[in-house]
Amino acid sequence: MAEDINRYLRQDKLPHIWCPGCGHGTIMANMLRGFARSRLDQDKTVVVSGIGCSGRATGYLDFDTLHVTHGRALTFATGIKMANPELTVIVVTGDGDGAAIGGNHLIHACRRNIDIKVVLFNNSIYGMTAGQFSPMTPTGATATTAPYGNIDQNFDLCELTRSAGATFVARGAAQQPRQLIKIFEKGFAHRGLTFIEAITQCPVNYGRRNKLGGARDMLNWQKEHIINQTKYESLAAEERQDKIPSGILYQDKREEYTERYEKVIASARGSEN
Amino acid sequence: MKNKAGDKIKENQARIMLLQGDEAVVEGGLVAGASFFAGYPITPASEIAEGFAEKLPALGGKFIQMEDEIASMGCVIGASLAGEKAITATSGPGFSLKQENLGLGIMVEAPCVVVNVQRVGPSTGLPTSPSQGDVMQARWGTHGDHPIIALSPSTVKETIDLTIKSFNMAEKYRIPVILLLDEIVGHMREKVRIPSAAEVEIVERKRPRPEDREEFNPYQETEDHIPPMPDYGQGFRYHSTGLFHDKTGFPRGKSEDARLLMDRLMAKIDENLDDIILLEDDLKGDEEVVVLSYGSTARSAISAVTRARQEGLKAGWVKLMTVWPFAEDYVARLADRVKEIVVPELNRGQLIGEVERAACGQAGISGIHRYDGTIIPPDEILDKIKEVS
Ligand SMILES: Cc1ncc(C[n+]2csc(CCOP(=O)(O)OP(=O)(O)O)c2C)c(N)n1
Ligand code: SF4
Ligand SMILES: [Mg+2]
């Protein structure tokens, strides 16, 4: 991996706070490799994050960075992008941050197709608060707040964001860096709401409690269960049962929100004369 | 005049109009240079959103209707950090929703204006009736100690002036400023003169110079306690967070940093009370009774005092335009020389507690409180003046 990502990191803020074996660092590093390949301007890029272990990423990233309230990163990002459409705006969020408390903002940002790149670190649990279940915790798994097993149904966030109006939807995993970098590269180049679900492992607050072993075992689980979309589609229905498709799942062109607002400005000015 | 994109925009001309208070927020905001609005509809504040939706784009500004008030508050702070003069408007239920992000705005020091056209609460309450029930929420609505500025107009003309002041103070002190209207002022129509931008003082935030990029500390202590603020995208690559942080903007988890930051945030306001506290009074110096009020209630108070004087009573009035920070020293001095201070409020007694605290037993304090969605008529205040004279 030739990309030099050091220039995108605040070296003096490292080492990071994430636990040994946590997948968040892998996702962040591959996000930066994708960013390097996309050749976007570092000085014209703002990264916004909410609260959670994943949200701490903004502290390490050498851009304009904003660490906000739990679940609300997309709302701040929307203001930034609307204010200055020339900026590249990236949101780093978690499965609790982005899909529970911030779920409503996620679907509305998708609906607008505003040019924000949403990177959701999905570790299937509330990591930072020590292991309560999230909307991405599988049914039946245990969590500190689901000691008898989780009865909730989890989301398929890629289906959700696609139907809400996102125009770039992809899923990758910490265990599959090559594919992940490519997803980031393509996603960052896309104009419109870009949703990237990055599956990652929380050995401390999810793996251990669910007897999934340590980080290595959890990465092996990813290897066995997360398969490329083309391969996934070639499988029979019963073979798909315990598999998760990855890759760029959907991409489309639709007019982006700030571009549409430029037309509002033009017509408001026209009607003034 | 040019907007941020560098396009020429029409210089606004002074003009006379018949306006509602809500519309006056829009006109005043545009004079002050408002360039961004995010909001969610709610009675009795929707007219503000509607006004900005119509007027901003023609000036090269931006309007967005968000999915709720939490989102509106976040959006406004984001736009502010990107360099806009940003504003949002709501009423009770929405004001409650904004509180968490309002605290974030105070912590990252994002200039912006938050309008609350008060209606009767709690909960859905009386959506179309006036109230001054959110005075304490404006002070303490977001959790934790924090500084805040809240202004409250009593007329449409004052709404224009105080909207301009709200933007100016937000920019000057790097803080969200709350503009507390009430349903009466919001929906009342009065003939007003809208000034041109050239006639009034317009404040812009302090921005760092490009050469400051090298060693930039975004939350550096300065003589006036207000660090310069770059727009996003100018290569400063700085960090802001709702966590307590040091001058670099990063959290270190040290208790000393928490104390230093809180002290600086408070000092921005506490050391500038003369600039921030706006009030008007009509006192001859021989008053026995003074009516202290704010917002729409001041209209009844002034009319009651005028009649009391005609009847030979020694009465005067004080109208607070700045509700927070509270005019403590002023009230303390007043209490030293009058017999009674009468405080009419459209709530069960909120600002009266501050008056009592400042008066410290030196004058009698009596309240007139209405919380049923109706106004306090001048007669009622006049009766009280007579009772305590
Ligand atoms: C309004 C609010 N509610 C609750 C919390 C507590 N909280 C902090 S992080 C978090 C969950 C984060 O989970 P996730 O987004 O999955 O991030 P992870 O730590 O797993 O990366 C919660 C509930 C908070 N900070 N703010
Ligand atoms: S708690 Fe889990 S998500 Fe958080 S740093 Fe540790 S391993 Fe990572
Ligand atoms: Mg999580």
Side-chain angles (χ1 to χ4, degrees):
Chain A
M1 278 154 221
E3 297 81 14
D4 174 22
I5 61 168
N6 285 328
R7 56 183 291 230
Y8 300 120
L9 287 166
R10 291 170 172 145
Q11 300 294 338
D12 60 326
K13 301 299 166 205
L14 299 170
H16 56 65
I17 58 155
W18 295 314
C19 309
C22 176
H24 283 1
T26 315
I27 304 295
M28 184 176 80
N30 289 322
M31 178 180 109
L32 291 178
R33 292 191 179 98
F35 186 86
R37 287 196 194 175
S38 73
R39 299 187 182 284
L40 289 163
D41 186 346
Q42 186 171 5
D43 283 340
K44 296 276 176 213
T45 300
V46 187
V47 191
V48 189
S49 66
I51 303 291
C53 297
S54 37
R56 288 304 185 97
T58 42
Y60 311 120
L61 300 171
D62 196 14
F63 302 88
D64 280 326
T65 50
L66 178 61
H67 179 223
V68 298
T69 44
H70 188 31
R72 318 298 177 193
L74 260 169
T75 71
F76 293 81
T78 300
I80 295 165
K81 185 71 191 180
M82 273 295 275
N84 186 354
E86 278 176 24
L87 298 173
T88 297
V89 183
I90 300 171
V91 162
V92 168
T93 181
D95 48 314
D97 193 69
I101 190 164
N104 197 36
H105 307 309
L106 180 63
I107 59 175
H108 287 280
C110 290
R111 178 175 62 79
R112 294 185 191 104
N113 190 36
I114 187 164
D115 184 22
I116 296 173
K117 332 300 185 185
V118 183
V119 182
L120 188 140
F121 290 44
N122 178 11
N123 58 7
S124 313
I125 201 78
Y126 286 0
M128 175 153 271
T129 45
Q132 301 81 10
F133 70 88
S134 89
M136 299 308 291
T137 304
T139 311
T142 52
T144 57
T145 45
Y148 306 108
N150 180 24
I151 60 167
D152 284 30
Q153 170 70 49
N154 55 322
F155 277 131
D156 180 330
L157 284 174
C158 290
E159 291 288 339
L160 178 83
T161 50
R162 177 185 170 163
S163 46
T167 45
F168 183 103
V169 177
R171 183 186 284 124
Q175 196 274 332
Q176 294 153 1
R178 226 176 280 275
Q179 182 193 48
L180 201 52
I181 297 167
K182 200 164 171 185
I183 288 173
F184 281 121
E185 180 189 354
K186 295 264 155 62
F188 288 146
H190 178 77
R191 193 161 169 75
L193 195 291
T194 300
F195 180 78
I196 299 170
E197 177 184 355
I199 295 179
T200 167
Q201 70 281 1
C202 171
V204 174
N205 283 317
Y206 184 69
R208 203 157 54 189
R209 184 163 296 109
N210 282 288
K211 309 209 163 37
L212 299 174
R216 192 188 306 250
D217 306 299
M218 294 181 82
L219 285 165
N220 273 332
W221 182 93
Q222 289 176 19
K223 189 175 178 181
E224 283 159 21
H225 293 84
I226 303 170
I227 60 171
N228 191 283
Q229 186 189 24
T230 336
K231 193 166 164 206
Y232 179 85
E233 274 166 4
S234 71
L235 296 178
E238 65 275 14
E239 290 174 310
R240 289 182 187 181
Q241 286 294 316
D242 65 343
K243 300 283 189 286
I244 302 167
S246 68
I248 297 169
L249 305 177
Y250 175 74
Q251 186 167 12
D252 194 13
K253 271 209 180 80
R254 187 155 61 81
E255 197 171 31
E256 190 271 334
Y257 194 75
T258 60
E259 286 171 2
R260 249 179 293 158
Y261 199 79
E262 285 305 320
K263 291 185 180 165
V264 172
I265 290 178
S267 74
R269 285 189 166 159
S271 68
E272 268 228 319
N273 298 329
Chain B
M1 191 158 59
K2 283 184 175 178
N3 69 2
K4 274 202 13 207
D7 312 326
K8 256 201 143 63
I9 59 172
K10 260 197 280 181
E11 188 85 55
N12 82 312
Q13 305 282 335
R15 57 204 195 284
I16 310 267
M17 286 180 89
L18 182 68
L19 285 185
Q20 280 191 330
D22 280 357
E23 293 164 342
V25 170
V26 179
E27 296 300 334
L30 294 176
V31 172
S35 55
F36 193 96
F37 181 97
Y40 188 83
I42 187 166
T43 303
S46 295
E47 292 88 343
I48 301 175
E50 289 160 1
F52 279 118
E54 185 196 333
K55 303 211 161 171
L56 276 173
L59 299 167
K62 314 278 169 72
F63 168 91
I64 186 167
Q65 180 169 315
M66 294 300 286
E67 52 274 19
D68 59 34
E69 289 87 349
I70 300 173
S72 309
M73 192 67 225
C75 197
V76 155
I77 294 169
S80 167
L81 294 168
E84 303 289 332
K85 285 193 176 180
I87 175 168
T88 181
T90 188
S91 186
F95 194 53
S96 293
L97 286 179
K98 287 181 191 294
Q99 295 301 328
E100 190 195 8
N101 279 345
L102 179 67
L104 192 280
I106 293 166
M107 202 68 154
V108 303
E109 299 175 70
C112 57
V113 177
V114 180
V115 185
N116 174 6
V117 187
Q118 296 167 94
R119 60 190 236 186
V120 182
S123 190
T124 313
L126 298 170
T128 56
S129 301
S131 162
Q132 297 177 309
D134 306 343
V135 170
M136 280 297 162
Q137 188 185 22
R139 180 64 194 89
W140 295 114
T142 197
H143 56 284
D145 284 322
H146 57 273
I148 200 76
I149 296 176
L151 309 182
S152 187
S154 62
T155 65
V156 175
K157 167 78 175 97
E158 244 171 62
T159 304
I160 292 182
D161 297 344
L162 294 188
T163 304
I164 298 170
K165 292 265 189 222
S166 296
F167 273 103
N168 285 350
M169 289 187 195
E171 292 286 315
K172 184 166 177 186
Y173 299 109
R174 279 191 71 172
I175 192 174
V177 173
I178 295 166
L179 185 63
L180 280 179
L181 272 65
D182 53 55
E183 192 274 340
I184 299 174
V185 174
H187 280 164
M188 169 176 74
R189 284 186 187 278
E190 288 179 324
K191 196 170 116 178
V192 287
R193 180 175 180 278
I194 301 160
S196 73
E199 284 171 56
V200 292
E201 188 200 13
I202 308 287
V203 180
E204 303 290 337
R205 67 191 67 169
K206 254 192 300 178
R207 288 181 165 87
R209 300 163 308 173
E211 59 267 35
D212 297 335
R213 240 173 277 181
E214 287 316 306
E215 244 182 82
F216 183 64
N217 285 312
Y219 294 96
Q220 174 79 54
E221 176 65 289
T222 56
E223 208 169 310
D224 62 1
H225 312 296
I226 306 154
M229 176 182 171
D231 300 346
Y232 281 157
Q234 294 181 331
F236 284 83
R237 294 188 206 156
Y238 77 103
H239 187 61
S240 299
T241 174
L243 288 164
F244 273 103
H245 44 270
D246 67 5
K247 65 179 181 183
T248 65
F250 291 93
R252 292 193 305 169
K254 297 217 164 121
S255 54
E256 181 200 355
D257 290 343
R259 184 175 50 79
L260 288 174
L261 176 55
M262 179 55 69
D263 288 350
R264 181 173 66 74
L265 293 178
M266 296 305 302
K268 289 196 294 188
I269 306 308
D270 291 345
E271 293 182 15
N272 292 290
L273 296 180
D274 286 347
D275 183 47
I276 298 169
I277 295 180
L278 308 170
L279 58 81
E280 261 175 38
D281 55 21
D282 186 357
L283 302 173
K284 311 253 182 274
D286 63 345
E287 283 75 17
E288 287 178 355
V289 181
V290 170
V291 183
L292 182 147
S293 62
Y294 56 94
S296 65
T297 311
R299 306 170 71 90
S300 296
I302 291 168
S303 136
V305 168
T306 311
R307 277 164 55 194
R309 279 184 182 160
Q310 285 161 0
E311 294 182 27
L313 295 164
K314 290 181 175 159
W317 56 261
V318 181
K319 175 176 71 178
L320 300 181
M321 276 112 97
T322 301
V323 177
W324 303 113
F326 182 68
E328 219 166 290
D329 289 347
Y330 175 93
V331 173
R333 273 181 273 121
L334 183 69
D336 275 343
R337 64 172 192 78
V338 303
K339 189 174 144 206
E340 189 85 13
I341 301 175
V342 175
V343 186
E345 290 184 275
L346 294 179
N347 56 47
R348 284 189 33 94
Q350 296 199 11
L351 211 63
I352 191 172
E354 299 302 305
V355 177
E356 280 166 353
R357 213 149 61 105
C360 209
Q362 297 303 301
I365 313 289
S366 41
I368 305 173
H369 300 290
R370 271 281 172 91
Y371 40 91
D372 57 0
T374 59
I375 62 160
I376 301 174
D379 283 347
E380 207 171 319
I381 300 175
L382 183 60
D383 289 347
K384 181 62 96 183
I385 295 172
K386 288 178 180 164
E387 184 192 318
V388 300
S389 282

